[in-house]
Amino acid sequence: MNDHNDSQDASESTPLLRGRGEASNGAGDDDTPVHAGKASALPGAVPPKLKGRILSLLCAYAFAMMLADNLQPAALTKVFEDVICDSYYDHSPQSQLSSEGENPCEAQPVQRELALVRGFLQLVPIFSGLLCTVPYGLLAERVGRKRVLVLSGAGTLAAFAWVLAVCYWRFLPIRWVLLSGVFLFVGGGDPVLSSMLHVMVTDVTDQAERAQIFLYLHAADVVAGFFGPAVSAPLMEKGHTWAVLLLAVAVLGTSITALAVLVPETLHLKAVSMGRPGRVKNRAVSSSSSSEIVVLSPRSSLQSAIPRRKGGFALAGIETSLASLVALLTSNRQATLLLCLYAPQTASRELFTLIGLQYSSAKFALPYARGNVLLSLLQAAQGLVVLVVLPLTTRLVANPRRWTAWARDRLYATASIALLAAGLFVIGISPTLAVEVLGLLFVALGSCSSGLLMSLLGAAVKPSQVSVVYSSALMLSIIARSLTGLVESALLIKGLELGWAWMGLPFVAMGLFMACVGVASVFVTAEKIELSDEE
């Protein structure tokens, strides 16, 4: 966090981009000297109307971007299937339906190609995320956060537009949608977008209110996750699949335009010391409050921590971060264990979003439009667990027993992983759609595992190591999510080839893997080991 009273010297290890879980961190340092009399530069001195305007617009922007993202899954899967199906029967006119009235797009070659395209499409964003986050983070310190945020949104829109163009005009084979990853290098994609949102919030808020604002961003994510499928379902039922996708484009374009026009730049508003001209010395401080547990639970994204050097290059920042990470992993076994436990959480929780619609369609003949209802149910249940069930359990069970924050989070994390594993296993072996829904509810009950493990991870390291360990955890999560998407799509293809009883193979495999992760979680120490920067 920022030390407003006595921090006057420049810091060479100040993290540039902040993670969601760093509710108590600072806003970063500034190259522009600010004199002591300029109290208006402090977050606490930002005019309330200006602060309220910025925060409300950022939350609205986050909601719009997530709404556009959640409008897409079922509609895009349906469009992909139609394109692949038409191409397959155009090139294989001799192919015949196995029985009268059967959906021709349920043919195994079509479903195999669909799973393959979807799987590789999950792998595409990893390259821009790994290569662009550090450079764009440094660029944001020079040209401003808003410009980078607008650029990131524009790149996301361009990538989506390319996918739609290939599918509508069909001037190239369907696999050319994978070229959309090239457009994500413009702005860096979701990792940079998420990072800039949180940095802009940090610029205009102080530590006391920051966690609450991050909670609002998470609430926007959860609400969008519910309304996206709820809006697209009735439109798809009436055959307006392309209307759903065009609505997503309209939401993206409108939100980016509104951001560029309405949201002020926050770089000049970030916290500065009250002493002589200079930059601010920051210290990242971990916390395991329940509000942080909530904030960290939704989608996986990268919030980087980049050591800042005057006139430095991205390569120097990467080298310093890697050196800090290696030192941490070799000296702190608990942190290493928690990093390994955290990496697959987002991938397992979002597995149904990735392949669940295709799985339900193939196994239970559930139309994609109605499959949207399952996604809305999952999002609503996750929101209920995060915002109601977990805080209520803490108040009624943990607090009366005077559990420490570490003991509470450790128990919750182990239980969440176990529920997540059980839910995936139930989905994989479900003989009916009702049993699959029961499995989804178990997955929702385990949806807090990411935030709980991040809370433990922040408490398991020294305060000065929080930034690097958070960014490393989120980077691992992105890699695991991308690679898992490809592997699980391959397992789905194999299950389709083996027959009805084996279609749930990817869910069973992931469930068994998460069960092993749950067993490993019991090796987290029962009590927190206190660490300090002086050690």
Side-chain angles (χ1 to χ4, degrees):
M1 65 179 182
N2 290 334
D3 192 341
H4 298 296
N5 297 322
D6 57 13
S7 295
Q8 300 179 359
D9 299 324
S11 171
E12 294 299 328
S13 60
T14 301
L16 174 63
L17 303 184
R18 303 290 198 254
R20 289 187 181 190
E22 297 177 74
S24 53
N25 63 354
D29 52 275
D30 197 344
D31 285 330
T32 305
V34 179
H35 296 277
K38 280 192 160 183
S40 61
L42 293 172
V46 175
K49 288 186 178 180
L50 177 60
K51 180 191 294 187
R53 175 190 170 195
I54 292 173
L55 294 177
S56 60
L57 288 173
L58 289 177
C59 288
Y61 181 72
F63 172 79
M65 296 298 287
M66 289 299 101
L67 179 62
D69 186 57
N70 284 282
L71 283 168
Q72 300 173 25
L76 205 54
T77 301
K78 175 62 175 173
V79 167
F80 282 172
E81 185 183 76
D82 289 344
V83 173
I84 295 170
C85 187
D86 291 345
S87 176
Y88 174 70
Y89 286 103
D90 285 346
H91 291 85
S92 305
Q94 73 279 8
S95 300
Q96 300 294 328
L97 300 182
S98 58
S99 61
E100 185 177 355
E102 181 183 346
N103 183 357
C105 294
E106 295 296 333
Q108 188 180 110
V110 174
Q111 294 299 312
R112 181 170 59 247
E113 180 68 10
L114 175 61
L116 193 64
V117 170
R118 294 280 293 174
F120 275 107
L121 201 58
Q122 291 298 310
L123 190 63
V124 165
I126 191 175
F127 302 106
S128 60
L130 290 174
L131 298 177
C132 294
T133 304
V134 171
Y136 279 114
L138 296 175
L139 181 64
E141 285 293 294
R142 293 180 176 272
V143 303
R145 283 74 154 95
K146 188 176 82 169
R147 291 180 180 178
V148 173
L149 186 59
V150 170
L151 192 63
S152 180
T156 302
L157 176 58
F160 185 46
W162 169 259
V163 172
L164 297 188
V166 172
C167 292
Y168 186 79
W169 284 291
R170 304 187 184 185
F171 52 87
L172 290 170
I174 185 66
R175 293 189 182 185
W176 279 88
V177 298
L178 302 179
L179 192 63
S180 60
V182 174
F183 295 93
L184 295 178
F185 282 89
V186 178
D190 285 345
V192 174
L193 189 149
S194 181
S195 295
M196 287 299 104
L197 275 175
H198 289 85
V199 171
M200 291 179 77
V201 170
T202 302
D203 286 343
V204 298
T205 57
D206 54 34
Q207 180 213 336
E209 62 184 340
R210 195 168 299 140
Q212 186 64 37
I213 303 303
F214 287 164
L215 176 60
Y216 292 155
L217 288 176
H218 170 59
D221 191 357
V222 172
V223 174
F226 172 77
F227 279 106
V231 169
S232 64
L235 290 174
M236 291 184 64
E237 284 277 9
K238 296 179 180 180
H240 302 313
T241 302
W242 275 98
V244 174
L245 296 174
L246 293 177
L247 178 61
V249 172
V251 171
L252 281 172
T254 303
S255 61
I256 295 168
T257 303
L259 172 71
V261 173
L262 301 176
V263 179
E265 176 56 60
T266 64
L267 180 61
H268 63 286
L269 297 175
K270 66 179 180 177
V272 295
S273 61
M274 288 293 293
R276 59 179 173 76
R279 290 177 288 172
V280 179
K281 182 178 180 180
N282 294 306
R283 292 178 308 197
V285 179
S286 66
S287 170
S288 55
S289 65
S290 59
S291 62
E292 285 190 86
I293 293 173
V294 172
V295 168
L296 286 161
S297 58
R299 300 177 178 272
S300 63
S301 57
L302 175 64
Q303 283 79 34
S304 299
I306 309 166
R308 178 169 172 80
R309 297 176 58 189
K310 185 175 181 180
F313 298 92
L315 182 58
I318 296 173
E319 290 175 350
T320 306
S321 296
L322 288 176
S324 301
L325 179 61
V326 171
L328 170 64
L329 296 180
T330 54
S331 61
N332 191 329
R333 292 183 179 180
Q334 281 298 301
T336 304
L337 174 59
L338 288 167
L339 278 173
C340 294
L341 296 178
Y342 177 83
Q345 298 302 318
T346 300
S348 59
R349 190 177 64 250
E350 295 186 353
L351 181 59
F352 189 84
T353 304
L354 172 62
I355 63 173
L357 294 177
Q358 186 180 356
Y359 166 71
S360 300
S361 175
K363 190 170 185 178
F364 305 115
L366 183 71
Y368 292 128
R370 296 182 181 179
N372 267 322
V373 177
L374 296 181
L375 295 180
S376 288
L377 174 66
L378 178 60
Q379 288 289 339
Q382 286 181 356
L384 185 66
V385 169
V386 169
L387 300 176
V388 178
V389 175
L390 190 63
L392 191 62
T393 303
T394 299
R395 178 177 297 180
L396 299 179
V397 179
N399 290 344
R401 288 169 172 76
R402 299 183 182 278
W403 290 349
T404 64
W406 177 275
R408 178 200 66 202
D409 293 350
R410 175 180 178 271
L411 180 60
Y412 286 178
T414 301
S416 295
I417 296 172
L419 288 167
L420 185 57
L424 291 171
F425 192 80
V426 169
I427 292 172
I429 64 172
S430 56
T432 64
L433 187 60
V435 176
E436 180 182 280
V437 172
L438 179 62
L440 281 175
L441 293 178
F442 278 118
V443 171
L445 288 173
S447 62
C448 295
S449 58
S450 295
L452 292 162
L453 288 170
M454 189 70 91
S455 177
L456 290 171
L457 188 57
V461 299
K462 299 176 183 179
S464 62
Q465 297 172 324
V466 171
S467 292
V468 68
V469 78
Y470 275 2
S471 62
S472 300
L474 292 163
M475 178 73 76
L476 286 174
S477 179
I478 289 176
I479 295 173
R481 182 172 177 264
S482 298
L483 295 179
T484 298
L486 186 59
V487 172
E488 295 301 328
S489 294
L491 290 176
L492 178 61
I493 293 172
K494 188 64 177 179
L496 292 171
E497 293 175 352
L498 293 175
W500 187 91
W502 291 89
M503 289 181 181
L505 182 61
F507 292 98
V508 173
M510 181 59 82
L512 293 175
F513 177 76
M514 292 306 296
C516 295
V517 173
V519 172
S521 69
V522 303
F523 292 95
V524 177
T525 56
E527 295 298 331
K528 176 184 176 183
I529 300 175
E530 297 294 338
L531 297 172
S532 65
D533 286 327
E534 285 72 22
E535 293 180 8

